[in-house]
Amino acid sequence: MSAEAQGSATTGAGKPLLRALAGEAVWPPPMWLMRQAGRYLPEYREIREKAGGFIKLCTTPEMAAEVTVQPIRRFGMDGAILFSDILMVPWALGQPLRFAEGEGPVLDPLRDAAAVAALQPEMLRERAAPIMDTVRLTRMALDLHAPKVTLIGFAGSPWTVAAYMVEGHGSRDFHTARGMAFGDPALFGKLIRTLVEATTDYLLAQIEAGAEAVMLFDSWAGMLPPSQFRRWVIEPTVTIVRKVQQLHPSVPVIGFPRLAGPLIGEYVQRTGVATVAMDTAMDPRFAASAVPGNVGLQGNLDPLALVAGGIALETETRQILAAMRGRPFVFNLGHGIEKVTPPEHVAALVRLVRSGG
Ligand code: 1CP
């Protein structure tokens, strides 16, 4: 059996993204973009307005499924990522959350043992049910209209989600959360254990509903010194990945330990993720040397090169493609797409990557 036939036999449908995530060096590489559904698209803004609030959008399956497929319809990426947010897990655990206009997410900050004890993991499946309906609807739409496209589910990693839960909002340095991790590791550990269980359960529910790959976003992994990175980023991820692999061995997990720097190799080796996403600061050549050749790499165009377009976009994209040729690779950005991105630059990027650079 040829390598290609083998790849499709193990992944079912022979979808390019699933083949790359399973360790095959597909070329030109499959691609999708972090935050590919969002405010840079007029069709997203229209639905967002109709929905009213952001949480309403995430919990109205028809609307959330529609915005999930919008970028596929317009640009034809290889992956569709469920439209939701990493903070829907704290929301489903009962922590009050709102998305303030122009301010980003705001949570009632969680600062003591009583607040951790008040979380309701037993409510998670019920509260997250509309999100699973979104997964089911999206998968049906893709099977029907875009059978080569892979549906990606996701969650935030325990450390990053805990950082928002403790801080109560986005932050440049997450002082309070880092302070709690050092100052009261028993309490912080309890929060992390709650999140490991909730996140595992939440990802398994997405897989049961039709997600074909899942991604763990650890956007603030790079804030931690190595000992704390091992304790709060690597160890919780080990537990989650192990459980997903046990129950769904054919579903690849993508890890995104943003700004992990030289710890990327240890992260991959310990956690067993199928693919690791590189942030904008990661040198793809370094990642290629630090990560075993059967593990996929994903990334890592700077979203601002995509805003700029033209020669900056072409040069950066070609450099990444040249460094990644010959190994399992998924083209993506190194962080989420910017609101001011011209949609025609995204179309140009898709053409360039499809040409192999
Ligand atoms: O009203 C709006 O449209 C709000 C903007 C928005 C969007 C489009 C938010 C608020 N979340 C999302 C969707 C989202 N968030 C997705 C959907 C799928 C896609 O990629 O198309 C995903 C995967 C996320 C993940 C997410 N949310 C992360 C991890 C990735 C990253 O960017 O580092 C994080 C940190 C969040 C928190 C969050 N949600 C929203 C905002 C503005 C933020 C950042 C808050 C901050 O740190 O200040």
Side-chain angles (χ1 to χ4, degrees):
M1 200 188 274
S2 72
E4 189 166 323
Q6 236 164 28
S8 30
T10 49
T11 56
K15 302 184 178 192
L17 176 54
L18 276 181
R19 282 165 49 205
L21 295 174
E24 194 186 323
V26 179
W27 207 265
M31 69 175 302
W32 64 281
L33 303 176
M34 287 194 271
R35 294 268 181 108
Q36 62 191 17
R39 283 190 171 158
Y40 75 107
L41 289 177
E43 59 268 36
Y44 170 84
R45 293 196 297 269
E46 197 181 301
I47 302 240
R48 172 81 169 76
E49 209 157 293
K50 240 190 252 169
F54 181 77
I55 294 175
K56 186 78 191 156
L57 176 53
C58 293
T59 53
T60 307
E62 296 72 22
M63 287 187 173
E66 166 60 18
V67 297
T68 302
V69 300
Q70 280 175 345
I72 310 303
R73 212 180 278 137
R74 190 192 264 254
F75 306 112
M77 289 88 169
D78 299 285
I81 182 158
L82 164 69
F83 190 84
S84 183
D85 195 81
I86 63 165
L87 299 177
M88 294 308 284
V89 165
W91 173 83
L93 291 172
Q95 187 177 14
L97 165 70
R98 65 195 167 85
F99 284 84
E101 207 55 54
E103 213 190 309
V106 184
L107 294 141
D108 287 3
L110 183 153
R111 298 284 162 86
D112 54 25
V116 175
L119 295 171
Q120 302 165 301
E122 71 284 0
M123 296 300 292
L124 180 100
R125 283 243 176 185
E126 188 181 323
R127 291 211 182 104
I131 297 172
M132 304 314 148
D133 287 337
T134 302
V135 174
R136 272 184 281 274
L137 276 182
T138 309
R139 182 64 194 279
M140 283 196 299
L142 293 176
D143 284 350
L144 203 59
H145 302 295
K148 289 274 186 196
V149 174
T150 299
L151 178 56
I152 307 162
F154 75 93
S157 292
W159 157 251
T160 287
V161 173
Y164 282 99
M165 291 172 86
V166 171
E167 210 76 33
H169 48 76
S171 160
R172 274 180 55 186
D173 49 23
F174 289 90
H175 250 236
T176 318
R178 282 158 61 216
M180 189 194 281
F182 271 119
D184 194 346
L187 178 61
F188 195 73
K190 190 162 180 242
L191 173 58
I192 291 287
R193 279 195 300 281
T194 302
L195 286 171
V196 165
E197 285 195 19
T199 306
T200 306
D201 198 32
Y202 181 68
L203 289 175
L204 292 173
Q206 291 181 42
I207 294 167
E208 287 156 22
E212 301 167 281
V214 291
M215 177 151 165
L216 274 169
F217 287 88
D218 218 336
S219 305
W220 301 106
M223 306 233 70
L224 296 172
S227 61
Q228 297 273 294
F229 181 92
R230 292 183 181 108
R231 184 169 186 181
W232 306 122
V233 170
I234 292 185
E235 291 313 320
T237 306
V238 168
T239 310
I240 296 170
V241 173
R242 193 175 291 152
K243 190 79 192 181
V244 171
Q245 280 174 349
Q246 254 170 22
L247 295 175
H248 300 282
S250 68
V251 175
V253 181
I254 308 166
F256 181 37
R258 195 168 76 90
L259 300 177
L263 290 171
I264 192 170
E266 187 177 333
Y267 172 91
V268 167
Q269 191 239 325
R270 285 277 301 130
T271 62
V273 292
T275 290
V276 65
M278 303 178 286
D279 58 73
T280 52
M282 176 59 63
D283 181 344
R285 287 166 308 181
F286 173 78
S289 69
V291 170
N294 62 335
V295 174
L297 294 172
Q298 175 175 288
N300 74 339
L301 182 73
D302 193 319
L304 290 169
L306 185 57
V307 172
I311 199 79
L313 175 59
E314 284 172 29
T315 310
E316 291 294 315
T317 301
R318 289 205 169 102
Q319 267 172 18
I320 295 167
L321 289 170
M324 291 292 104
R325 189 149 198 159
R327 58 175 298 147
F329 174 59
V330 176
F331 190 91
N332 205 317
L333 299 174
H335 204 183
I337 207 163
E338 295 280 337
K339 198 164 91 183
V340 295
T341 306
E344 57 276 21
H345 291 184
V346 176
L349 175 63
V350 173
R351 279 196 302 275
L352 183 57
V353 175
R354 295 282 183 237
S355 76

